[in-house]
Amino acid sequence: MQTAEVRPGPQFAGSADEQQIARDVFEAMRGMGRFFSRTAPIRVSVASLAEFLAAQRPEQDATQWTARLTEVLTKNPNVFDLEESGDQLLALTTAAGEAPSRVNRPDTEHTLAQRLTEPTPVTTKQWTSRRQPAPLEELVAPAAEATAEAAVSATPAGVIQIPEPAEEELEEEEATPAAAPVTAPVTTANLDQLNDEQLADVISDELRRDLTVANVGDRWMAEDKVPRLSRGDLRRIHDYIVERNEPLSDETLLQDILGVRPGADNYALMRFAVNYRLSRETKEFEFVGTPDQRLWSTAALPAIGTTKRKPSEIGQEYRFLLSEPPLEILPDERVAEHVLTFYEYQYGVLPLNPVFQALFPAAMLPEQRAAVLSFEAPQTYETFLVELRYPTGNRGGYLAGFDRFFLENLVPGALFTVERDAENDGRYLIEYLPVSGETEKLLQVDEKRNRYVFRPRTFYCATSDEMLLTENRFPQFANAAPLEERTRRRPELTLAATFERIGEQVGTTDQPRYMAMLDDLLAASNVERPMSAELIRAIVTSGDHPDFSTDPEVTDVYYFQPERAG
């Protein structure tokens, strides 16, 4: 069990009310500098402190509080210093409760800058859904003396927000998981090269390693100030989620189980507590939410998505997405267009490719495995849940749970859009372009015979001719058996089998050689496993597979000539 050293607080001068004002200001400033050394100066503008007091004591506005606060600070020179910085008046103190001007020797042994230069590597953000910060060439640790006001601020309840305080306590921010460690040395030499977001990242990484700090996304609080949930509370929350048979939001749990209503004074604090305490109970609860829709699930809930294939296998087949190049020009981040492939239709999944990465939110909590999103289809008057599985070290990301919607409304090759709700990154619209009925013989799987067949299908959605799998286009698929598992696991073997299935033979019987266009290869290879145009081009042009070659005169025309046995 951790114990804290108890030190006497500073003594304040003035009337009883002035002493209380000075005490409130000191506690707020000490909260902002919670992770500074005891003698490191904590700088905060008097204007910010006046706004803080105005929020606590509305009998005076911020302008009136500025004048009164200056007077109170002046009466306590042993605790506070005042200095001018440009057109701002700054208040200074230290965590020890002494004015910096009265401290003889600054303690530099345990500053934040010192802690950030220790061997523990600093981590950077992985991909984000709404913003792509410029790459940080060299991480620079903030000097504790220079970053009190610019990097860390605190609300009256002790919740720290980075980099700027919000008007409302515990305001929600978007967060992303940490990625690979950065090996560049941390230094304080180039502090001015960091923008606020980069500086916040460095501090956030350090705070997450501190066991005395509670963290939910980009919200922070002293761990010992977070209300605790009893074992009975946790059991009731678990049982309620199981009873409802779907992930539930923190607000639903807070109101229905703990009885805390939105108008309560402690509502924001208790909402933070629910999220933080449940995040510590990893054996019972799993966070599957987003910054705007914070959902909690349990292992007892049924899995979302197909049962035809294991999630780990689908993730492995989407592994190639981890090396997909980023988009040079991001599309509208609220709407994404997509053409459905046979693989996606068969398993009810969508790839977390660069286009969808810009649309869907990144993980909010460290080690978050998945997020559950709500999809609404206004054309069919239905709402269903979809699970967004985030990429890991060796598995690509994807979305699962579209099985029934695809089967009942679309066909492989269908065009549709996904649009994010403007006010909630956990809600989405999925729509397709309706057309008058068309009937084609389309590729399907006869599961009893384990064979591909073509059967008439009438559909009412617009399609892309390049991805539509008709009998006239690919007759060689008729009565063909799906590839063996060991073949479909390897993209180059799948591509070779696709050439032999749909390619035009341009060689001799003794030395077969197949020619195919990229559009045909893309549509046909996605029958067996997910493959992108970029992946197909990479296989053919890499030089690692001499069986493949490109046409020197025509773009996106490729050849495959298998090696002769023996």
Side-chain angles (χ1 to χ4, degrees):
M1 182 177 72
Q2 287 187 329
T3 59
E5 180 182 356
V6 178
R7 297 186 176 95
Q11 299 298 315
F12 300 102
S15 65
D17 188 47
E18 290 173 335
Q19 292 180 27
Q20 186 59 48
I21 294 172
R23 187 175 296 105
D24 291 344
V25 169
F26 173 72
E27 291 297 333
M29 294 180 67
R30 185 165 65 175
M32 298 176 190
R34 178 179 178 83
F35 304 101
F36 292 3
S37 66
R38 286 180 50 78
T39 56
I42 304 172
R43 291 177 172 85
V44 182
S45 69
V46 174
S48 297
L49 294 172
E51 291 178 0
F52 159 65
L53 290 173
Q56 300 299 305
R57 303 184 182 187
E59 64 271 10
Q60 294 186 16
D61 59 25
T63 302
Q64 294 171 314
W65 272 115
T66 299
R68 188 174 184 190
L69 179 57
T70 303
E71 180 182 352
V72 171
L73 298 181
T74 304
K75 291 183 179 180
N76 289 273
N78 59 318
V79 181
F80 301 101
D81 283 336
L82 291 173
E83 70 175 28
E84 293 185 359
S85 176
D87 58 353
Q88 279 192 324
L89 180 63
L90 301 181
L92 289 76
T93 190
T94 63
E98 293 184 86
S101 60
R102 300 171 62 91
V103 178
N104 294 325
R105 182 181 62 84
D107 177 12
T108 60
E109 295 181 0
H110 301 289
T111 63
L112 181 60
Q114 174 66 23
R115 294 173 65 185
L116 289 172
T117 57
E118 293 176 355
T120 303
V122 179
T123 57
T124 59
K125 286 188 176 182
Q126 210 172 12
W127 61 266
T128 65
S129 61
R130 297 189 182 179
R131 60 172 184 249
Q132 296 289 343
L136 182 58
E137 298 297 335
E138 180 180 7
L139 288 178
V140 182
E145 294 81 0
T147 60
E149 184 179 12
V152 182
S153 59
T155 65
V159 178
I160 301 175
Q161 295 180 310
I162 299 174
E164 293 293 333
E167 297 179 359
E168 210 173 311
E169 182 180 4
L170 298 171
E171 180 177 347
E172 301 175 4
E173 297 284 341
E174 185 183 40
T176 54
V182 174
T183 56
V186 178
T187 173
T188 60
N190 300 315
L191 184 62
D192 58 345
Q193 296 182 5
L194 284 180
N195 59 37
D196 288 346
E197 184 176 299
Q198 294 165 342
L199 186 60
D201 290 346
V202 175
I203 296 176
S204 298
D205 291 333
E206 178 64 22
L207 295 183
R208 288 191 178 96
R209 290 192 286 268
D210 194 321
L211 298 180
T212 66
V213 179
N215 166 234
V216 177
D218 274 359
R219 301 185 300 169
W220 311 84
M221 189 173 184
E223 203 280 340
D224 57 358
K225 300 295 184 182
V226 182
R228 298 185 178 276
L229 303 181
S230 68
R231 298 312 302 178
D233 292 335
L234 295 173
R235 184 177 61 254
R236 288 194 298 273
I237 290 174
H238 177 276
D239 293 345
Y240 191 55
I241 295 175
V242 173
E243 178 185 347
R244 294 281 296 271
N245 200 37
E246 63 179 4
L248 298 179
S249 69
D250 55 355
E251 294 181 314
T252 298
L253 299 174
L254 185 59
Q255 296 176 46
D256 293 358
I257 302 301
L258 301 182
V260 182
R261 302 303 173 192
D265 293 339
N266 65 337
Y267 184 81
L269 176 62
M270 289 302 299
R271 188 182 181 194
F272 181 92
V274 166
N275 285 292
Y276 176 70
R277 295 304 177 191
L278 293 186
S279 71
R280 313 303 292 175
E281 302 291 333
T282 55
K283 292 183 179 180
E284 296 291 335
F285 301 97
E286 180 183 8
F287 182 79
V288 292
T290 67
D292 294 338
Q293 182 171 278
R294 302 181 179 185
L295 303 178
W296 288 93
S297 181
T298 73
L301 295 187
I304 297 175
T306 182
T307 58
K308 297 179 180 179
R309 198 154 184 79
K310 295 179 181 179
S312 60
E313 294 174 339
I314 298 176
Q316 286 284 355
E317 289 169 338
Y318 277 120
R319 183 177 181 177
F320 71 91
L321 292 175
L322 299 174
S323 58
E324 290 278 90
L327 296 175
E328 295 182 1
I329 301 177
L330 287 177
D332 183 347
E333 293 187 5
R334 281 192 55 199
V335 182
E337 297 180 351
H338 190 71
V339 180
L340 189 65
T341 69
F342 187 92
Y343 179 93
E344 295 161 3
Y345 173 84
Q346 191 72 8
Y347 297 108
V349 298
L350 289 177
L352 195 60
N353 56 27
V355 173
F356 280 136
Q357 283 186 14
L359 180 70
F360 295 108
M364 178 180 163
L365 298 186
E367 308 300 329
Q368 184 176 346
R369 178 188 62 88
V372 174
L373 311 174
S374 176
F375 271 71
E376 180 182 346
Q379 293 161 308
T380 59
Y381 305 100
E382 62 181 310
T383 300
F384 54 93
L385 297 180
V386 167
E387 184 175 68
L388 166 59
R389 288 182 172 265
Y390 292 109
T392 62
N394 62 350
R395 295 174 186 171
Y398 65 95
L399 297 99
F402 297 96
D403 316 47
R404 192 178 71 175
F405 179 78
F406 287 167
L407 180 63
E408 295 178 353
N409 304 286
L410 304 180
V411 294
L415 295 163
F416 63 93
T417 61
V418 177
E419 180 179 358
R420 185 178 65 236
D421 188 292
E423 299 179 355
N424 188 334
D425 60 11
R427 296 177 183 173
Y428 295 81
L429 293 178
I430 183 169
E431 297 181 275
Y432 58 88
L433 179 62
V435 297
S436 57
E438 296 184 29
T439 301
E440 293 276 3
K441 278 193 172 183
L442 301 181
L443 185 68
Q444 299 181 33
V445 178
D446 187 334
E447 296 183 356
K448 291 184 179 179
R449 298 170 51 216
N450 194 32
R451 288 290 187 271
Y452 292 116
V453 296
F454 288 95
R455 292 172 180 164
R457 175 77 185 271
T458 301
F459 52 92
Y460 301 88
C461 57
T463 59
S464 169
D465 291 339
E466 289 79 7
M467 296 300 291
L468 199 61
L469 303 169
T470 63
E471 186 175 30
N472 292 335
R473 186 181 180 194
F474 299 124
Q476 302 94 326
F477 267 103
N479 292 317
L483 297 179
E484 294 182 358
E485 191 65 31
R486 61 183 180 180
T487 300
R488 65 182 294 173
R489 286 178 182 171
R490 299 176 59 181
E492 70 277 8
L493 296 183
T494 301
L495 186 60
T498 303
F499 264 101
E500 295 178 342
R501 277 177 171 170
I502 61 100
E504 178 183 350
Q505 189 168 148
V506 295
T508 64
T509 304
D510 294 336
Q511 292 184 332
R513 188 170 185 243
Y514 302 91
M515 179 187 72
M517 295 184 294
L518 177 62
D519 288 344
D520 292 340
L521 291 172
L522 182 61
S525 62
N526 272 275
V527 171
E528 298 289 353
R529 57 161 295 133
M531 295 182 69
S532 66
E534 291 77 10
L535 177 59
I536 293 175
R537 289 192 184 100
I539 293 173
V540 174
T541 62
S542 66
D544 296 333
H545 310 287
D547 294 354
F548 302 102
S549 60
T550 63
D551 191 304
E553 298 180 356
V554 184
T555 303
D556 287 340
V557 172
Y558 304 130
Y559 296 89
F560 170 68
Q561 184 170 357
E563 294 182 356
R564 297 183 62 183

